[in-house]
Amino acid sequence: MTGNTRSNHSRGDVVAMAFFMLMGGVFAIMTLVQCVRRTIDVLAGDGVRVFAEFIGTPADAPIGPGGAARTVELDSAWILPDALPAASVWALVSEQVLIAASVVTVIASLLALLWNVLRGRVFSRANTRLILTAGFAAFLGSALAPFFANMGANGAFAQISDGTFNNVVQSVEVMPLFAVAFLAALGGTVFGVGERLQRETEGLV
C-alpha cells in the first residue's frame, strides 16, 4: 500500500502550506548564511567573540550615579580572547556545522512532508520517516551544539586567565530536549498509527 489519498485541500490550505514552505526555505538560507559568517569569524581568530556562561561571578558595571562602577553578578557574557586554542576553534566550528546541518535537515524533512500532504499523501511510511528524521535532527542539534559551544568557551577562558579561572558552566537545557524528544515520538506514533489504520481500511475495501 502506498498510503495515497485523494487531495481535498482548499485553496486557503494550499496557500498556507506554500507560505510555510517558502518561510522554511528562507529560514534555512538565513541559518546557513549566519553559520558561514560565524565560522569565518572563528577561523579568522582576530578578536572573535565567544559566548560564555558564569555562576555567581562578580563584575563591575558602570550603572551607578554618573556612570560609577557597581558590582553585578554575571550570568552570561561575550568574552574577547586574544586568540583561541586549536581545540576551541574546532569546537566552535563544529557547533556551527552542527547547527546548520540540524536546521537544514529539520526544515528539509518538514518541507518534504508538506509537499507529500499537498499531493494527497498523508499517512505513509515515507512521512513517518520524515517526522522521525526531523525529530532526531532537532534533538541532536539541541543536545550537541551547546556542548561544543561550552568546549569553545573553556578554551577562551583558559587563554584569558592563563588557566586559572575555573568558574565555567557546562550546561544543556533539559526541558527543550525533553520537549523535542516528546514531540518527535508523538509525531512518529501518530503517523505510524495513521499509516497502519489506513492500510487496514484499504484492505477492507
Side-chain angles (χ1 to χ4, degrees):
M1 299 296 175
T2 62
N4 293 346
T5 59
R6 177 178 294 181
S7 176
N8 58 353
H9 302 296
S10 67
R11 185 171 184 177
D13 293 335
V14 174
V15 171
M17 284 190 246
F19 175 78
F20 282 119
M21 292 174 72
L22 177 61
M23 290 298 98
V26 171
F27 183 74
I29 293 174
M30 291 175 61
T31 301
L32 286 174
V33 170
Q34 182 178 354
C35 289
V36 169
R37 286 180 176 174
R38 175 61 175 168
T39 299
I40 293 174
D41 289 341
V42 171
L43 293 176
D46 295 328
V48 60
R49 300 166 70 242
V50 179
F51 184 77
E53 298 183 43
F54 299 81
I55 296 180
T57 303
D60 291 334
I63 60 175
R70 291 293 184 268
T71 301
V72 298
E73 186 174 290
L74 282 180
D75 178 64
S76 62
W78 290 92
I79 58 179
L80 302 171
D82 295 331
L84 284 173
S88 290
V89 172
W90 175 85
L92 293 176
V93 170
S94 297
E95 177 199 9
Q96 298 306 310
V97 171
L98 186 61
I99 291 173
S102 60
V103 168
V104 169
T105 300
V106 170
I107 291 177
S109 299
L110 295 182
L111 290 183
L113 175 65
L114 280 176
W115 177 249
N116 287 341
V117 172
L118 281 173
R119 296 172 59 195
R121 301 178 59 192
V122 181
F123 297 116
S124 66
R125 291 181 180 178
N127 286 351
T128 302
R129 286 195 294 267
L130 288 171
I131 286 288
L132 294 176
T133 298
F136 179 75
F139 180 85
L140 202 63
S142 299
L144 293 183
F147 172 77
F148 285 118
N150 289 334
M151 287 181 60
N154 285 346
F157 276 123
Q159 194 279 331
I160 291 176
S161 67
D162 198 19
T164 61
F165 185 80
N166 297 316
N167 193 27
V168 181
V169 181
Q170 290 284 349
S171 64
V172 175
E173 294 293 336
V174 176
M175 289 306 297
L177 290 180
F178 177 80
V180 169
F182 177 78
L183 291 176
L186 179 62
T189 300
V190 169
F191 273 80
V193 171
E195 174 196 347
R196 185 172 67 252
L197 291 176
Q198 181 169 278
R199 288 201 308 267
E200 293 173 355
T201 302
E202 290 176 349
L204 295 175
V205 177

